[in-house]
């Protein structure tokens, strides 16, 4: 065939392809140019041509290959092989064995197109075997592939292709842009049967580069409208509805609004598949409503709906995705003189359910929780807002020539708001997120899918809740590390994780450039406690509840436990047939949660005597603590028997600070004061088992004073534990024993002296406890200062 005739034939083929596939003119141009080049190429190869089509889902890669076979005279037959079905190396026989699917098809269709759909999804062993098969001679493979066009398709690199700056770069300098793209693809990973490997084996990627690579852009809204218009026309032409003479084609604005109703994720395949059903349904509704022969059905759009569409631009469509919204169309069907009008009366926005893709994990989500919804944690919120600013302004990081941060871990006790803070952080970034929690974190394939999904919608966040696992779960930290390492600046994905126990997480995962920010979320502060109390005060109450006082009692409770206080108080009022919650009821529920339920006094053998003994025991602790440790505020002193103890002294918030030798010694005295006070009042019966925990604490603190903190004059500044672990367990044993006994004896004598001096106050506190069972910090202060 003459050069001129061939050129004309390819030009005509190009026009036919462009008339049937929309939005991919550049890809069609490249394909036709490459086919023309192949026809004149002197290179000797065992196949007609080898193409790789890269592009997002539903961008027309397989469709273009199908149309090429239909419209071109060169090919008679096409086979599309779904490579996701070949994840086991043993599957290669089914594909390229002597009686496999591929040789069987090629023998029957020697002049054909073979499409390997989603080549990255098959096992790498099969990728290599397939490459070798394609490049094998007729003698080696037993099949003549000289007139076969092979096409690989892949969605790898879609996040890069979608970026406008890359598309501009590709138009300006295709060769350099393609090199950048291949470099990007080479870093892509996949997980098959828990094994992390290259998404496309390097040898095959090299072959792709040496042949023809064509990039498919994501379809713009206008292109999808053209597809919808063609689908609409085809549906009307094929429909043969009895009683309808003619159905008019609608104008563009009608089609555009129809397509918009498929938002927020508008893709060509879904529109092409679902639109005919929608059209037929509308026509049948019109026929049923009219109940008479119809001359004509026409489609119209109201002025109000047209005004709505005027707002639609690229930013509007992007916001639909970010805000998880769709467009609802309101219809009217009217009949006049046997002409039925189907009218779009109104278009309105509405919020979709939380999960946009309910049938396929992982889900794409959009947080609705803000920092204003979370009580307390002022310092943590401030820190998180600083990180948000970095993510939203990457130029700040670029100025210092360091890579963008890739992850953040929020760790701290249960119920302090870690998960809520993570949600609020995500909302502040305005990124979509993909979440994995619980058993999801055990599945390496799901972890990989989460990061792939996030890359598709980048910039985005992968949220890993409870990363330290629970109930013996073994989290595949290596797989998470691999995914984070594979993230590039072009497809920016930030990982947010929460954990109770940071020590349970693999230290390699916590390294810089994986989790760059490690943020401790502490126990809830006074502000947070007041927030929960004010929520409780929305329930019926006597109006006399002291918020400050109850907030002090709540110290140490988690958010879950504080919510439980309100519920338990309400249930108590209902059970007892009372009318309102009181301060006393609230404090009782707090004590139940913190220290256990009250014990039935009938279960105490010598009730009166034991209550008196406990009263002097706790009074001794309280008075000596008030004298020696004035900075540690007492919350309450009680002799109400509970599951945890027959009585106790509890404290309000303690501040983290260095402890002096004097304070440590005073701690020992306070621990001993309970038994010593009881012995003074009850010399014969005061020495009982109730002081076991006190003695354990006193002994441990005396040991630490001597062996750990270097505070003993005889032993000096020696850290004995280091010597015992690394040198000898026998070193200083006798000295430690002697000095611990010395400090216990000294503390005992000093405490006895203090008890003698302040016995009147101990008597007064004990008497008040016997009378009331509990006194709070304010009442104790009044007794001490009276």
């Amino acid at each position: 065939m003459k050069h001129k005739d061939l050129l004309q034939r390819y030009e005509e083929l190009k026009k036919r392809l462009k008339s049937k596939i929309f939005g991919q003119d550049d890809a069609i141009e490249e394909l036709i140019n490459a086919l023309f080049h192949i026809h004149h190429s002197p290179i000797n190869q065992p196949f007609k041509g080898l193409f790789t089509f890269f592009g997002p889902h539903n961008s027309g890669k397989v469709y273009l290959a199908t149309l090429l076979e239909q419209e071109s005279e060169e090919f008679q037959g096409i086979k599309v092989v779904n490579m996701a079905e070949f994840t086991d190396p043993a599957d290669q026989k089914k594909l390229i064995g002597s009686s496999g699917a591929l040789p069987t098809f090629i023998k029957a269709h020697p002049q054909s197109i073979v499409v390997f759909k989603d080549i990255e999804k098959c096992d790498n062993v099969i990728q290599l075997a397939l490459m070798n098969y394609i490049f094998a001679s007729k003698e080696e493979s037993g099949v003549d592939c000289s007139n076969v066009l092979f096409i690989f398709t892949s969605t790898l690199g879609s996040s890069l292709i979608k970026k406008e700056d890359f598309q501009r770069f590709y138009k300006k300098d295709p060769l350099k842009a393609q090199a950048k793209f291949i470099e990007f693809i080479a870093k892509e990973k996949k997980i098959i049967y828990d094994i992390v490997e290259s998404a496309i084996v390097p040898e095959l990627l090299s072959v792709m580069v040496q042949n023809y690579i064509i990039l498919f852009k994501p379809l713009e809204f206008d292109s999808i409208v053209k597809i919808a218009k063609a689908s609409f026309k085809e549906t009307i032409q094929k429909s043969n509805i009895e009683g309808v003479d003619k159905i008019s084609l609608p104008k563009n604005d009608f089609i555009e609004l129809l397509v918009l109703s498929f938002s927020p994720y508008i893709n060509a395949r879904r529109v092409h598949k679902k639109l005919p059903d929608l059209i037929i349904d509308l026509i049948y509704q019109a026929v049923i409503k009219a109940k008479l022969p119809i001359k004509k059905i026409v489609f119209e759009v109201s002025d109000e709906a047209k005004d709505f569409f005027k707002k639609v631009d690229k930013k509007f469509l992007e916001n639909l995705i970010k805000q998880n919204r769709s467009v609802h169309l309101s219809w009217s069907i009217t009949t006049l003189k046997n002409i039925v009008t189907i009218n779009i009366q109104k278009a309105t926005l509405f919020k979709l359910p939380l999960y946009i893709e309910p049938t396929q994990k992982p889900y794409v989500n959009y947080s609705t929780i803000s920092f204003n919804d979370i009580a307390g944690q002022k310092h943590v919120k401030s820190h998180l807002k600083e990180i948000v600013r970095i993510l939203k302004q990457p130029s700040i990081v670029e100025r210092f020539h360091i890579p963008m941060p890739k992850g953040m871990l929020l760790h701290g006790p249960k119920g302090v708001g870690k998960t809520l803070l993570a949600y609020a952080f995500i909302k502040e970034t305005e990124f979509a997120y993909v979440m994995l929690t619980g058993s999801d974190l055990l599945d390496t394939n799901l972890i990989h899918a989460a990061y792939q999904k996030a890359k598709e919608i980048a910039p985005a966040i992968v949220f890993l809740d409870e990363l330290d696992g629970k109930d013996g779960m073994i989290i595949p930290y290596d797989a998470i590390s691999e995914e984070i390492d594979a993230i590039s600046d072009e497809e920016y994905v930030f990982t947010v994780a929460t954990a109770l126990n940071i020590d349970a997480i693999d230290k390699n995962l916590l390294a810089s450039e994986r989790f760059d920010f490690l943020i401790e979320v502490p126990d809830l502060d006074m502000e947070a406690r007041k927030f929960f109390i004010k929520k409780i005060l929305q329930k019926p109450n006597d109006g006399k509840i002291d918020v400050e006082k109850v907030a002090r009692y709540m110290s140490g409770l988690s958010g879950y436990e504080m919510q439980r206080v309100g519920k338990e108080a309400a249930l108590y009022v209902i059970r007892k047939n009372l009318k309102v919650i009181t301060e006393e009821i609230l404090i009782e529920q707090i004590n139940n949660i913190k220290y256990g339920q009250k014990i039935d006094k009938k279960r105490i053998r010598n009730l009166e005597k034991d209550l008196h003994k406990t009263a002097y025991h706790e009074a001794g602790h309280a008075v000596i603590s008030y004298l020696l440790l004035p900075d540690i505020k007492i919350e309450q002193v009680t002799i109400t028997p509970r599951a945890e103890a027959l009585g106790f002294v509890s404290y309000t918030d303690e501040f983290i600070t260095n402890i002096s030798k004097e304070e440590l010694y005073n701690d020992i005295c306070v621990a001993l004061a309970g038994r010593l006070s009881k012995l003074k009042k009850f010399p014969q019966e005061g020495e009982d088992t109730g002081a076991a925990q006190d003695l354990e604490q006193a002994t441990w603190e005396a040991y630490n004073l001597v062996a750990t903190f270097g505070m003993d004059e005889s032993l000096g500044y020696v850290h004995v534990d280091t010597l015992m672990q690394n040198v000898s367990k026998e070193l200083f044993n006798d000295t430690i024993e002697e000095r611990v006994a010395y400090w216990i004896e000294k503390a005992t004598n000093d405490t006895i002296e203090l008890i003698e001096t302040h016995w009147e106050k101990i008597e007064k506190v004990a008497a008040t406890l016997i009378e009331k069972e509990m006194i709070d910090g304010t009442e104790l202060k009044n007794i001490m200062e009276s």
Side-chain angles (χ1 to χ4, degrees), residues 414-519:
K414 185 178 181 181
V416 295
K418 299 183 296 296
T419 301
L420 286 177
L421 286 165
Y423 282 135
F425 172 85
I426 294 167
K427 185 178 190 300
E428 197 83 3
T429 64
E430 298 181 334
F431 293 174
Y433 73 96
V434 180
M435 182 177 185
L436 297 178
T437 187
S439 60
D440 294 346
L441 289 166
L442 303 177
D443 188 337
T444 52
N445 290 308
L446 200 52
I447 290 168
H448 179 66
Y451 278 91
Q452 289 302 111
K453 177 80 76 177
K455 287 176 184 179
E456 287 176 20
I457 58 172
I461 286 171
V462 172
F463 181 15
L464 310 175
D465 198 25
E466 298 181 345
L467 185 59
D468 49 340
K470 55 185 177 182
D471 301 327
M473 288 167 53
I474 301 174
I475 307 291
Y477 294 117
D478 287 347
I480 298 171
S481 297
E482 289 270 2
E483 295 294 345
I484 294 175
D485 291 346
I487 293 165
S488 66
D489 292 340
E490 290 83 2
E491 48 179 11
Y492 187 62
V493 172
F494 188 77
T495 302
V496 174
T498 67
L500 284 173
N501 181 14
I502 190 172
D503 295 327
I505 299 173
D506 181 11
K507 295 297 179 287
N508 291 324
L509 182 57
L510 299 180
S512 180
E513 297 189 18
R514 285 178 185 150
F515 283 106
D516 298 272
F517 304 106
L518 304 176
I519 300 172

Side-chain angles (χ1 to χ4, degrees), residues 415 523-524 553-559 561-562 565 590 593-594:
D523 284 327
L524 294 171
Y553 275 85
M554 276 185 164
S555 65
L557 292 184
S558 70
E561 290 168 330
M562 288 188 211
V565 166
I590 293 167
I593 291 170
K594 289 175 80 170

Side-chain angles (χ1 to χ4, degrees), residues 20 76 87 105 126 141 147 239 254 265 268 270 285 307 331 336 504 576 623 688 764 777:
K20 294 192 175 184
Q76 286 85 44
T87 55
F105 172 79
I126 291 180
S141 67
N147 287 308
S239 65
F254 190 94
Y265 289 105
R270 184 161 168 253
Q285 283 185 47
D307 289 340
W331 304 86
L336 183 62
K576 300 297 182 183
V623 170
D688 57 27
K764 178 65 175 172

Side-chain angles (χ1 to χ4, degrees), residues 41-83:
S41 174
I43 298 173
N44 184 25
Q45 54 192 14
F47 49 82
K48 186 176 183 67
L50 179 62
F51 288 83
T52 307
F53 293 174
F54 284 106
H57 290 290
N58 307 311
S59 55
K61 301 183 294 293
V62 175
Y63 186 44
L64 179 55
T66 305
L67 283 176
L68 178 62
E69 188 273 334
Q70 291 173 3
E71 299 295 332
S72 172
E73 299 171 5
E74 294 181 53
F75 306 105
Q76 286 85 44
I78 181 169
K79 183 173 183 63
V80 178
V81 184
N82 184 3
M83 298 308 292

Side-chain angles (χ1 to χ4, degrees), residues 272-287:
H272 183 72
K273 187 176 180 181
K274 296 289 184 183
L275 194 65
D277 294 337
L278 178 59
I279 297 160
I280 295 297
D281 185 52
L282 284 170
I283 292 171
Y284 271 108
Q285 283 185 47
V287 171

